[in-house]
């Protein structure tokens, strides 16, 4: 976790080279959100994101400072990938799908997203990240040891206290769709605080852009019909970003009604 904190503590001139508001740039640092003019609550966060797979190619575009960033983050991403694939394998077993079901294209794109939330003078006016469900397959989140994550359950926001050296595992929208709603993606957000900076690292396991997502036939019970139509993952992402992750709306275009 320290290397990520050190990254955000670097002088601005060391970070300026990777600062970009261009959504297409694979490795970039940016602040607040791309929806600043229209959002109800502004986001109080900086975010660094970059792909992690294939590692040999991706690593060349990662930050050069702090000097050990590439080495440490490469190890982290290899271990996070192993953990994620292991969890997917267990979920697959639990759902009665074959071994390796979530391998290949369904988990082909790995993305690291590092959030840095500086102390905010008035946390009631900001959020760290607004309410959303993760659009991917699975997220392995390390939330450090500063509180800020909340999950929406039974009509209220519940705090997810950080546990030392523990990960939060989030089911993404794609896992909900493939399981025909047997697994549910949890709505969550991050709040800010006025005392200390908070740094969190999300490792997103995504399908490849052209991967076709649909409810698996074996998970549609005999008295059920598929809840979603087939689509390419990139179509989902396009719609998700145009709706800024709105949890009520972003599944709608892909839903089928019996
Ligand atoms: O920082 C956090 O606790 C949550 C971050 C998050 O939800 C995300 O990056 O998708
Ligand atoms: Fe999230």
């Amino acid at each position: 976790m320290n290397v990520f904190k050190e990254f955000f503590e670097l002088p601005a001139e060391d970070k300026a080279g990777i600062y970009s508001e261009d959504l297409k740039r694979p490795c970039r640092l940016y602040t607040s959100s791309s929806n600043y003019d229209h959002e109800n609550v502004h986001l109080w966060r900086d975010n660094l994101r970059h792909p992690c797979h294939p590692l040999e190619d991706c690593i060349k575009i990662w930050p050069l400072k702090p000097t050990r960033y590439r080495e440490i983050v490469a190890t982290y991403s290899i271990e996070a990938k192993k953990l994620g694939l292991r969890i997917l394998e267990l979920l697959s077993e639990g759902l009665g799908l074959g071994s390796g079901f979530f391998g290949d294209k369904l988990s082909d794109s790995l993305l690291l997203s590092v959030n840095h939330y500086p102390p905010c003078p008035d946390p009631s006016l900001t959020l760290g990240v607004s309410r959303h469900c993760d659009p991917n397959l699975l997220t392995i989140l390390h939330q450090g040891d500063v509180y800020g994550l909340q999950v929406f359950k039974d009509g209220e926001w519940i705090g997810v206290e950080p546990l030392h050296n523990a990960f939060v595992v989030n089911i993404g929208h794609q896992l909900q769709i493939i399981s025909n709603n047997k697994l549910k993606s949890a709505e969550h957000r991050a709040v800010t605080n006025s005392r200390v900076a908070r740094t969190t690292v999300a490792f997103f396991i995504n399908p490849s852009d052209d991967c076709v997502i649909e409810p698996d036939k074996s998970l549609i019970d005999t008295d059920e019909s598929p809840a979603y139509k087939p689509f390419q993952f990139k179509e989902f992402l396009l719609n998700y970003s145009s709706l800024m992750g709105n949890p009520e709306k972003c599944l709608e275009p892909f839903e089928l009604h019996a």
Side-chain angles (χ1 to χ4, degrees), residues 164-175:
H164 191 60
N165 283 342
F167 293 104
V168 174
V169 177
N170 277 342
I171 301 224
H173 279 307
Q174 307 315 308
L175 207 44

Side-chain angles (χ1 to χ4, degrees), residues 179-182 215-227 258:
S179 72
N180 209 38
N181 292 331
K182 291 194 168 45
D216 188 76
K217 298 206 172 32
S218 71
L219 298 178
I220 305 167
D221 294 341
T222 37
D223 57 346
E224 270 181 358
S225 49

Side-chain angles (χ1 to χ4, degrees), residues 44 116-123 126 192-198:
W44 194 265
H116 177 72
Y117 313 99
C120 175
D122 188 349
T126 62
T192 56
N193 77 80
S194 57
R195 293 167 297 106
V196 274
R198 177 167 184 262

Side-chain angles (χ1 to χ4, degrees), residues 14 25 55 62-63 65 76 80 93 107-108 118 130 137 176 186 197 201-202 209 222 227 230 246 254 256:
D14 284 338
R25 231 170 106 169
L55 185 58
W62 292 2
K65 284 187 182 175
Y76 185 86
E93 196 181 314
S107 56
D108 197 35
S130 5
L137 194 63
Q176 172 165 344
V201 187
D209 274 359
T222 37
N246 182 323
F254 309 100
L256 290 172

Side-chain angles (χ1 to χ4, degrees), residues 124-171:
S124 72
L125 298 176
T126 62
L127 280 172
V129 178
S130 5
R131 56 192 281 263
H132 68 284
C133 295
D134 293 341
N136 54 342
L137 194 63
L138 194 78
T139 305
I140 311 284
L141 175 75
H142 195 312
Q143 56 160 340
D145 29 50
V146 179
Y147 168 76
L149 179 65
Q150 296 183 334
V151 64
F152 196 65
K153 186 167 185 297
D154 303 330
E156 57 176 334
W157 287 105
I158 299 171
V160 182
E161 291 292 339
L163 294 178
H164 191 60
N165 283 342
F167 293 104
V168 174
V169 177
N170 277 342
I171 301 224

